[in-house]
Amino acid sequence: GQNIDQPTEMTATEGAIVQINCTYQTSGFNGLFWYQQHAGEAPTFLSYNVLDGLEEKGRFSSFLSRSKGYSYLLLKELQMKDSASYLCAVREDSNYQLIWGAGTKLIIKP
Amino acid sequence: SQTIHQWPATLVQPVGSPLSLECTVEGTSNPNLYWYRQAAGRGLQLLFYSVGIGQISSEVPQNLSASRPQDRQFILSSKKLLLSDSGFYLCAWSEVGPLHFGNGTRLTVT
């Protein structure tokens, strides 16, 4: 079956680093996506991994290991505005639909 | 560049009333279009997706329907709303890459 797991909630301190993990079990794989969703707003695209390794975009990095069915999103130099939910999603081979995780609510404390 | 417009932003409707939410995309041709619903504190639930004009796939049986009368227009409808239809409705588009979401419509059925 299809399954994506990520922690429900995490807390981190302003200025620190946090790693949000995502594990997946799908029948195929054609890319993994990370989205940020602030409360009451639509998700916005953060990163896309289709090959193993690390993709870096400013303060945000995303890592993928296809053999382990594992990804993480790394946020550095945390700011209060990073308080949001972070959604992991996987695209299977067969179509363009995404399988979504339930999201990780990240709380940043001063 | 591509943009997606979704309206209205908020809507309060009585039980049993009809619904029509509209979404349009600019700057791209023949995009994949999606309607998602997100209940409070929950993950994203795919309702409908479309790979072309007049082609609609339904993921969840319910009292909602979708139509794509033009290449870049996607409409979500209901003839009679239920209380359980309350939620945050998101339209999205994609080509080969990630999904891009509209700002969403917060629907409250009273």
Side-chain angles (χ1 to χ4, degrees), chain B residues 58-95:
Chain B
S58 174
E59 290 297 303
V60 182
Q62 55 207 327
N63 68 320
L64 299 173
S65 62
S67 62
R68 186 171 177 172
Q70 299 181 44
D71 180 43
R72 291 168 287 176
Q73 183 185 29
F74 206 23
I75 298 172
L76 181 70
S77 304
S78 173
K79 291 182 180 177
K80 285 186 177 182
L81 285 169
L82 306 173
L83 284 174
S84 58
D85 291 324
S86 293
F88 191 41
Y89 288 82
L90 291 154
C91 180
W93 73 272
S94 75
E95 291 173 330

Side-chain angles (χ1 to χ4, degrees), chain B residues 3-110:
Chain B
T3 56
I4 179 168
H5 304 279
Q6 183 183 342
W7 66 94
T10 59
L11 193 58
V12 180
Q13 292 284 103
V15 168
S17 64
L19 173 73
S20 181
L21 301 180
E22 189 164 341
C23 171
T24 59
V25 181
E26 296 176 358
T28 182
S29 295
N30 197 33
N32 299 315
L33 297 174
Y34 309 80
W35 278 110
Y36 280 89
R37 178 170 62 200
Q38 188 175 39
R42 306 286 296 276
L44 290 168
Q45 179 188 34
L46 180 63
L47 301 175
F48 301 94
Y49 73 94
S50 171
V51 297
I53 296 176
Q55 301 178 60
I56 309 295
S57 296
S58 174
E59 290 297 303
V60 182
Q62 55 207 327
N63 68 320
L64 299 173
S65 62
S67 62
R68 186 171 177 172
Q70 299 181 44
D71 180 43
R72 291 168 287 176
Q73 183 185 29
F74 206 23
I75 298 172
L76 181 70
S77 304
S78 173
K79 291 182 180 177
K80 285 186 177 182
L81 285 169
L82 306 173
L83 284 174
S84 58
D85 291 324
S86 293
F88 191 41
Y89 288 82
L90 291 154
C91 180
W93 73 272
S94 75
E95 291 173 330
V96 178
L99 267 66
H100 300 278
F101 290 89
N103 289 334
T105 296
R106 188 160 304 281
L107 173 65
T108 304
V109 182
T110 60

